[in-house]
Amino acid sequence: MAGRLVDKVCVVTGAASGIGAETARLFEAEGARVAGIDLCEGDYGELAIQADLTDESQVVAALEEIEGHFGRIDVMFNNAGIAPPDDTSILDTSLEAWKRVQDVNLTSVFLCCKHGIPALLRAGGGSIINTASFVAVMGAAASQISYTASKGGVLALSRELGVEFARRGIRVNAICPGPVETPLLRELFAKDPEEAQKRLVHVPSGRFARPDEIARSALFLASDDSSFITASTFLVDGGISAAYLTPDQVAM
């Protein structure tokens, strides 16, 4: 069904590439007026704002500009995040690396929700979608300790807000993607094909997700099709979190 977001004002963070860019394009195709926010310059949405979402003053200024431009905010897709190579085992990850990942992946979501929810309330309600990860619900021996902890925090935060604001017309859900074929993942695995295969073998679907597949999940949660869904852990992981052995592992 086309036009599921007609006349809705949607904010997409991390909009310059990957999942964010695909979501901004899809939301516009479904009739939304899109404001994109990213640390990088670019042309993403009707209104593109370059901002550091770990800086509270910049978050406030960006959301004020968006609400002033469009007159309202109906949907927020808090998607910005990083997975740097210096975030590894807890034995090797520095405090500086830990804090940097927490700031981008978790604090930015906190700030966007803290200052975005009042705008959604002024609009009469709406939908917030936060990007968590499948690692928020399971463990890995090949650790990215701060990334995993940050995404667990996003999942818990989303659940709490979904419960708190349900009767005020705001739905809050967390998308938990499996590994996605984004530029970040391709760059990481191009350097180490063996590491890529080590992770791919655990995906029952036999491949990594495409950014547009995650975007379509965000579209569902942004639209009225998901009107009775809130505080949910929305897994889009190709079956990883449900798998004990995958077909490839059985064949080994």
Side-chain angles (χ1 to χ4, degrees), residues 42-57:
D43 181 18
Y44 29 80
E46 179 179 332
L47 180 64
I49 299 175
Q50 187 177 7
D52 179 355
L53 295 174
T54 68
D55 182 324
E56 186 169 18
S57 64

Side-chain angles (χ1 to χ4, degrees), residues 7 27 41 52 54 69 72 83 90 97 106 108 144 148 181 185 192 217 223 230 232 238 240-242:
D7 296 331
F27 280 12
E41 287 186 283
D52 179 355
T54 68
H69 180 87
R72 61 188 293 128
I90 195 169
L106 180 56
S108 72
Q144 295 172 282
T148 296
E181 280 275 10
L185 188 83
D192 193 345
S217 302
S223 76
T230 195
S232 76
I240 296 174
S241 58

Side-chain angles (χ1 to χ4, degrees), residues 173-185:
N173 294 288
I175 289 182
C176 294
V180 182
E181 280 275 10
T182 61
L184 186 67
L185 188 83

Side-chain angles (χ1 to χ4, degrees), residues 50-78:
Q50 187 177 7
D52 179 355
L53 295 174
T54 68
D55 182 324
E56 186 169 18
S57 64
Q58 293 189 46
V59 172
V60 170
L63 293 178
E64 286 180 348
E65 181 178 351
I66 292 166
E67 194 175 15
H69 180 87
F70 294 106
R72 61 188 293 128
I73 297 174
D74 301 293
V75 175
M76 292 196 66
F77 181 35
N78 297 315

Side-chain angles (χ1 to χ4, degrees), residues 98-232:
W98 166 272
K99 289 181 176 179
R100 185 172 72 254
V101 174
Q102 293 296 316
D103 281 348
V104 175
N105 291 4
L106 180 56
T107 301
S108 72
V109 175
F110 164 80
L111 290 173
C112 286
C113 289
K114 177 179 177 62
H115 297 291
I117 285 173
L120 268 66
L121 289 171
R122 286 190 288 273
S127 175
I128 294 175
I129 308 112
N130 297 323
T131 300
S133 170
F134 76 104
V135 301
V137 300
M138 59 189 301
S143 182
Q144 295 172 282
I145 189 63
S146 189
Y147 180 87
T148 296
S150 70
K151 294 303 186 179
V154 169
L155 183 58
L157 178 149
S158 303
R159 189 165 51 233
E160 190 93 340
L161 295 179
V163 171
E164 180 179 357
F165 290 96
R167 294 195 181 185
R168 300 181 71 182
I170 294 178
R171 297 180 293 107
V172 186
N173 294 288
I175 289 182
C176 294
V180 182
E181 280 275 10
T182 61
L184 186 67
L185 188 83
R186 285 194 294 270
E187 179 184 354
L188 178 65
F189 289 160
K191 297 174 183 174
D192 193 345
E194 185 177 337
E195 182 68 19
Q197 185 55 36
K198 186 192 301 182
R199 292 171 186 265
L200 184 59
V201 74
H202 293 287
V203 187
S205 301
R207 63 175 177 84
F208 296 138
R210 301 187 309 271
D212 67 282
E213 291 174 310
I214 310 304
R216 287 198 293 273
S217 302
L219 170 62
F220 171 69
L221 292 173
S223 76
D224 293 338
D225 290 346
S226 58
S227 57
F228 199 60
I229 298 175
T230 195
S232 76

